[in-house]
Amino acid sequence: MPERAAGGEAPEPFVFPKPVLVMSSCLDLQPVRYNGEIIRDDFVVKLRGFAKVVPVCPEMALGLGTPRPRILAHDENGTMELFQPATGRELTSGMAAFSESFLEGLSGIDGFLLKSKSPSCGVSGTKVYRYREGGIVLRKGRGLFAEKVLEKYYFLPAEDEGRLRNRELRDNFLTNIYAAADARVSLGRSAGMKDLVAFQSRYKYFLMAYNQKRLRELGKLTASYKKGDDFRALVDEYRHCFLEAIRRKPSRKQLVNALTHIFGHFSDRLGGGEKAMFLKLLGSYEKGVSGIHPPLSILKSWAIRFGDKYLLSQRLLEPFPEELYEEGISL
């Protein structure tokens, strides 16, 4: 039976491990942009206070300095290349070599937050020109460094500050970097199966929302352990499978399904009006009219009211620090 406490008691706060983020140096308030300017994004500035930052500027790493003539991404027979028209400098091979060296040297990271539209760091919106001197824009895509990030660290969240202006993408990014940080810290210090089972338990509904197939696989993986097996190897496999499970943003329908399961824990103890209000909020979220925060908050308040420690431990109900929640643009 789930553990219960006296109803109405404030729960012990969950101590969120600080995510370790690789961040474009220009977002880290360093004057390294091509024009020497400092970028200030209010949300990124706030996030910096809740994370550990590993700054990177691939263009500065190539010795280009600041201010510097602009770099352009262009299409060369179907392959994106980098060129600096003002100097005639070809930068593709240098950028690829730096990217591979830098990424190979990373360890213990939980995600990437890069500069939008950049020919090196852009996760989205990078202009790819027909000619290396510019002119006609063929398409918009990713910068070369960002492309290498997504190849090597496909299992970790990677976004740019432009996309994080979308409320759902921002909430999903925050959810993922905090889940990755929790997996890194908690699983890293797991001393035995009790710790691994505790982690699995608090991510039950989280994984139900993200990937039910992976939830079952993780359950089988945990159950497969036998005395004498290599526990650290099991933990490493578990962590990789967990990160794979949360790679893709869950649909509204998947989240509604998980929240409905949590709602089922309380439904026989609620009045008709309370049920109707919750289901209305859940319906509004599913239709894209409102965000997910209101139904999450109500479920958490009921878990406190009924003293349900098991549900209060569920990371789906509070996936990242409340201070980072902000209203914003929806889809």
Side-chain angles (χ1 to χ4, degrees), residues 23-94:
M23 185 181 291
S24 291
S25 297
C26 56
L27 298 177
D28 193 39
L29 302 183
Q30 298 180 32
V32 296
R33 287 206 79 201
Y34 73 94
N35 55 10
E37 293 180 355
I38 293 175
I39 296 173
R40 182 182 177 87
D41 181 286
D42 289 342
F43 181 75
V44 175
V45 170
K46 179 189 284 190
L47 179 58
R48 285 167 66 248
F50 289 82
K52 297 176 182 178
V53 173
V54 178
V56 61
C57 179
E59 294 172 25
M60 290 289 285
L62 294 185
L64 298 180
T66 185
R68 57 184 174 272
R70 295 189 69 174
I71 296 171
L72 298 181
H74 68 97
D75 185 281
E76 188 67 32
N77 298 321
T79 301
M80 193 188 81
E81 299 194 355
L82 300 182
F83 185 70
Q84 194 173 45
T87 63
R89 185 173 174 183
E90 174 58 58
L91 298 166
T92 309
S93 59

Side-chain angles (χ1 to χ4, degrees), residues 34-303:
Y34 73 94
N35 55 10
E37 293 180 355
I38 293 175
I39 296 173
R40 182 182 177 87
D41 181 286
D42 289 342
F43 181 75
V44 175
V45 170
K46 179 189 284 190
L47 179 58
R48 285 167 66 248
F50 289 82
K52 297 176 182 178
V53 173
V54 178
V56 61
C57 179
E59 294 172 25
M60 290 289 285
L62 294 185
L64 298 180
T66 185
R68 57 184 174 272
R70 295 189 69 174
I71 296 171
L72 298 181
H74 68 97
D75 185 281
E76 188 67 32
N77 298 321
T79 301
M80 193 188 81
E81 299 194 355
L82 300 182
F83 185 70
Q84 194 173 45
T87 63
R89 185 173 174 183
E90 174 58 58
L91 298 166
T92 309
S93 59
M95 183 65 73
F98 165 77
S99 300
E100 290 173 11
S101 174
F102 177 83
L103 295 174
E104 190 65 35
L106 292 174
S107 63
I109 59 169
D110 304 308
F112 295 80
L113 180 51
L114 305 175
K115 180 68 192 82
S116 64
K117 303 179 182 179
S118 163
S120 55
C121 289
V123 174
S124 66
T126 297
K127 292 180 180 179
V128 180
Y129 294 89
R130 181 185 297 275
Y131 307 110
R132 64 182 189 172
E133 293 82 9
I136 300 172
V137 177
L138 282 180
R139 63 181 183 275
K140 291 184 179 180
R142 299 168 178 150
L144 200 152
F145 176 74
E147 195 69 59
K148 297 296 184 184
V149 166
L150 293 168
E151 287 174 8
K152 185 171 182 62
Y153 287 97
Y154 66 92
F155 51 87
L156 288 179
E159 280 292 1
D160 60 51
E161 92 291 356
R163 280 170 54 88
L164 292 190
R165 296 187 187 108
N166 176 297
R167 183 185 64 213
E168 289 198 3
L169 293 179
R170 183 178 62 239
D171 285 358
N172 188 66
F173 178 72
L174 290 171
T175 296
N176 284 9
I177 62 174
Y178 276 96
D182 191 12
R184 172 177 52 82
V185 173
S186 296
L187 297 179
R189 66 187 179 204
S190 293
M193 285 303 297
K194 181 180 178 181
D195 296 325
L196 182 57
V197 170
F199 182 90
Q200 171 88 350
S201 176
R202 69 175 177 267
Y203 279 94
K204 175 184 174 180
Y205 291 108
F206 188 104
L207 288 165
M208 180 184 289
Y210 271 79
N211 194 318
Q212 292 194 40
K213 179 182 177 182
R214 289 287 189 176
L215 171 61
R216 292 190 293 272
E217 289 175 0
L218 286 165
K220 290 178 181 177
L221 182 61
T222 304
S224 70
Y225 179 77
K226 297 179 179 60
K227 188 175 181 180
D229 289 350
D230 186 338
F231 180 68
R232 294 318 311 173
L234 173 70
V235 167
D236 289 343
E237 184 179 356
Y238 183 98
R239 179 173 177 244
H240 184 76
C241 187
F242 176 79
L243 293 174
E244 287 267 12
I246 65 174
R247 280 177 57 201
R248 291 184 180 17
K249 183 169 77 72
S251 67
R252 292 174 186 266
K253 184 177 180 179
Q254 288 172 295
L255 279 163
V256 166
N257 176 62
L259 296 187
T260 301
H261 274 78
I262 296 176
F263 172 65
H265 284 258
F266 308 116
S267 59
D268 62 348
R269 291 175 281 174
L270 299 171
E274 289 177 301
K275 293 180 184 179
M277 180 184 68
F278 175 77
L279 293 173
K280 182 178 179 180
L281 286 172
L282 205 57
S284 293
Y285 166 70
E286 188 169 17
K287 294 173 184 174
V289 176
S290 62
I292 197 171
H293 196 65
L296 284 180
S297 297
I298 288 180
L299 287 173
K300 187 174 180 181
S301 74
W302 286 339

Side-chain angles (χ1 to χ4, degrees), residues 302-321:
W302 286 339
I304 294 171
R305 173 177 159 189
F306 296 116
D308 196 317
K309 286 188 174 182
Y310 172 69
L311 292 180
L312 286 170
S313 75
Q314 293 299 309
R315 297 296 1 115
L316 184 62
L317 294 185
E318 189 180 354
F320 54 84

